[in-house]
């Protein structure tokens, strides 16, 4: 049976871009504007405050890890009242050394390693919507090791750097996301996989994508009535089950078409459609162009 979380990360096609060290001392604060791309930070020493737009503010401590899959605006600061310095990551030049905020020189109150990367998938918005807006993990040593490796690899221009960074970021994402899976996660894939009744249904959808699933069949794998399954799935994952299945089928179909290794009929069969014409109609309605045009566009 396929692992849905691993499949989502693979389809997102993460690619590392940049990392930097950040420190702050005294009275300091920075306001980053909406960035849109995924970003992360790990607290190396000390503590600070993080306030992400639309989310409760949190205190970050040494050993904490934060992942923002879509990076809305946020404020990073010390604990004294301050008017934050505004930074637009889309236009501000990337620094080459450690960035210090607040009091210059001396030991910082907090030191972090921050970075961002990109998702190359055209389905990134859909897939990111299945993930929490903020992932905050505390005390997971494996994440600290991975962040350190990302920092070292991004600085050194060694052969194979891009491939190593890509693989490290994939592992970093999986480790961070599975560390936050649970009943307290917001609606999305992680919460669905943490639900003992829904997880088998989600895994069956991913593992047998070519099967002509119905809500009744999926409800049976979850040992729930049809109505109870539909309500529980919609509330927990954030999408009705057949809408989730359609979105996943279209994401996989797009990936297969971009590879240019399969004909339309084979792609249709792989994602659960009985004929190429039925698949083409559904794909065109969902994506906005026929699968043949999408494949030619690469």
């Amino acid at each position: 049976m396929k692992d849905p979380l691993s499949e989502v990360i693979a389809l997102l096609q993460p690619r590392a871009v940049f990392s930097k060290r950040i420190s702050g001392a005294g009275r300091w604060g920075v306001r980053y504007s909406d960035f849109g791309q995924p970003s992360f930070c790990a607290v190396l020493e000390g503590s600070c405050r993080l306030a992400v737009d639309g989310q409760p503010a949190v205190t970050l401590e040494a050993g904490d890890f934060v992942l923002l899959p879509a990076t809305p605006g946020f404020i990073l600061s010390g604990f004294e009242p301050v008017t934050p310095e505004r930074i637009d990551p889309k236009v501000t030049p990337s620094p080459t050394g450690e960035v210090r905020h607040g009091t210059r020189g001396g030991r910082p109150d907090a030191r972090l390693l921050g970075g961002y990367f990109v998702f190359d998938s055209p389905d990134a918005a859909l897939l990111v919507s299945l993930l929490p807006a903020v992932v905050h993990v505390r005390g997971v040593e494996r994440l600290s090791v991975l962040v350190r490796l990302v920092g070292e690899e991004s600085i050194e221009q060694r052969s194979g750097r891009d491939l190593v960074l890509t693989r490290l970021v994939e592992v970093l994402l999986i480790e961070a996301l599975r560390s936050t899976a649970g009943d307290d996660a917001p609606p999305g894939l992680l919460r669905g996989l943490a639900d003992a009744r829904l997880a088998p249904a989600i895994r069956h959808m991913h593992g047998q994508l070519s099967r002509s699933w119905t809500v009744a069949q999926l409800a049976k794998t979850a040992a729930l009535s049809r109505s109870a399954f539909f309500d529980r799935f919609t509330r927990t994952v954030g999408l009705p089950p057949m809408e989730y299945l359609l979105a996943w089928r279209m994401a996989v179909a797009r990936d297969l078409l971009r590879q240019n290794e399969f004909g339309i009929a084979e792609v249709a069969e792989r994602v659960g459609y009985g004929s190429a014409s039925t698949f083409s109609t559904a794909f065109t309605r969902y994506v906005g162009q026929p699968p043949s045009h999408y494949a030619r566009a690469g």
Side-chain angles (χ1 to χ4, degrees):
M1 194 67 68
K2 292 185 178 180
D3 173 34
L5 181 56
S6 296
E7 281 200 299
V8 167
I9 300 303
L11 274 189
L12 279 170
Q13 301 173 45
R15 177 167 50 85
V17 175
F18 176 72
S19 69
K20 63 181 177 181
R21 287 181 181 266
I22 307 165
S23 61
R27 189 187 299 272
W28 69 280
V30 287
R31 161 88 188 172
Y32 285 84
S33 59
D34 177 9
F35 183 49
Q37 299 291 355
S39 63
F40 66 90
C41 82
V43 184
L44 305 177
E45 59 181 277
S47 60
C48 61
R49 185 175 181 272
L50 173 67
V52 178
D53 291 356
Q55 305 291 329
V58 296
T59 295
L60 302 182
E61 302 174 356
D64 283 12
F65 175 85
V66 174
L67 169 69
L68 303 176
T71 313
F74 67 90
I75 296 175
L76 190 65
S77 68
F79 299 99
E80 299 182 44
V82 66
T83 300
E85 172 191 357
R86 291 186 172 272
I87 297 176
D88 185 346
K90 296 177 181 177
V91 299
T92 303
S94 300
T96 55
E98 181 173 304
V99 179
R100 168 61 71 94
H101 300 293
T103 305
R104 308 294 174 181
R107 186 178 181 85
D109 298 325
R111 175 173 279 126
L112 309 90
L113 176 66
Y116 69 84
F117 46 97
V118 296
F119 292 137
D120 282 340
S121 171
D123 294 296
L126 160 69
L127 299 170
V128 166
S129 72
L130 300 174
L131 307 177
V134 180
V135 175
H136 179 201
V137 183
R138 175 161 288 167
V140 177
E141 178 60 26
R142 286 161 63 92
L143 280 171
S144 299
V145 172
L146 288 166
V147 169
R148 178 175 56 81
L149 290 172
V150 168
E152 291 174 356
E153 195 67 35
S154 64
I155 292 172
E156 299 177 17
Q157 298 294 324
R158 292 188 289 184
S159 59
R161 171 183 178 275
D162 290 345
L163 180 59
V164 171
L165 279 172
T166 296
R167 294 295 177 262
L168 283 173
V169 169
E170 286 178 348
V171 177
L172 187 69
L173 280 170
I174 292 174
E175 192 66 41
L177 293 171
R178 70 183 183 184
S179 295
T180 61
D183 295 335
D184 57 345
L189 179 61
L190 297 183
R191 190 167 167 186
L193 291 174
D195 187 306
R197 291 292 184 91
L198 297 181
I202 295 173
R203 291 195 173 95
H204 274 86
M205 277 192 271
H206 282 250
Q208 301 177 44
L209 194 59
S210 61
R211 182 170 172 176
S212 298
W213 289 107
T214 65
V215 173
Q217 291 170 334
L218 291 169
K220 187 176 181 179
T221 69
L224 293 169
S225 70
R226 185 184 183 281
S227 59
F229 171 74
F230 182 91
D231 292 343
R232 186 163 173 166
F233 191 102
T234 304
R235 184 176 64 254
T236 304
V237 179
L239 290 172
M242 301 314 287
E243 191 174 325
Y244 176 88
L245 181 60
L246 172 63
W248 185 249
R249 279 174 166 160
M250 292 298 113
V252 172
R254 280 177 160 182
D255 185 58
L256 292 172
L257 290 168
R258 284 194 303 272
Q259 296 176 30
N260 278 311
E261 296 179 4
F262 309 100
I264 304 298
E266 185 173 356
V267 172
E269 182 180 356
R270 283 171 174 250
V271 297
Y273 287 87
S275 69
S277 60
T278 304
F279 166 68
S280 295
T281 299
F283 188 92
T284 303
R285 184 183 301 119
Y286 191 90
V287 177
Q289 60 179 311
S292 56
H293 293 179
Y294 187 88
R296 283 198 297 271

